[in-house]
Amino acid sequence: MAEATTGMVGRGFYDQHSEFQRRVAERAGAALAELAGRVTLPPDSEGGAFGVADYGCAEGRNSIATVGRVLDAVAKRCP
């Protein structure tokens, strides 16, 4: 019988071994920030909610930086 997969190693392993992914996200960050600066936002009368998701977030270091750039760009438009 095959062993079941337990998922990510944990304890910071992915963050410590995701330099390539960080560099890719960094290069795309300017484009993401520009797009976030142009995306149509919902009017305040509709609750003003704006969602951002990173479906490949793993442990978070790269995601926090990338999603942070997007949120900063949106916040500049509607603090």
Side-chain angles (χ1 to χ4, degrees):
M1 182 187 303
E3 255 184 67
T5 302
T6 58
M8 297 286 298
V9 173
R11 296 176 310 282
F13 182 87
Y14 181 83
D15 281 350
Q16 294 167 16
H17 297 87
S18 61
E19 182 61 24
F20 173 77
Q21 292 85 344
R22 185 195 61 75
R23 287 192 319 264
V24 170
E26 215 171 67
R27 288 184 181 138
L32 289 171
E34 179 187 337
L35 293 170
R38 297 185 335 196
V39 70
T40 302
L41 298 174
D44 285 337
S45 62
E46 295 177 14
F50 180 81
V52 177
D54 180 345
Y55 293 109
C57 62
E59 291 177 335
R61 181 183 73 174
N62 295 334
S63 294
I64 290 169
T66 303
V67 171
R69 281 185 90 163
V70 171
L71 294 177
D72 287 346
V74 171
K76 286 179 185 174
R77 295 176 55 198
C78 55

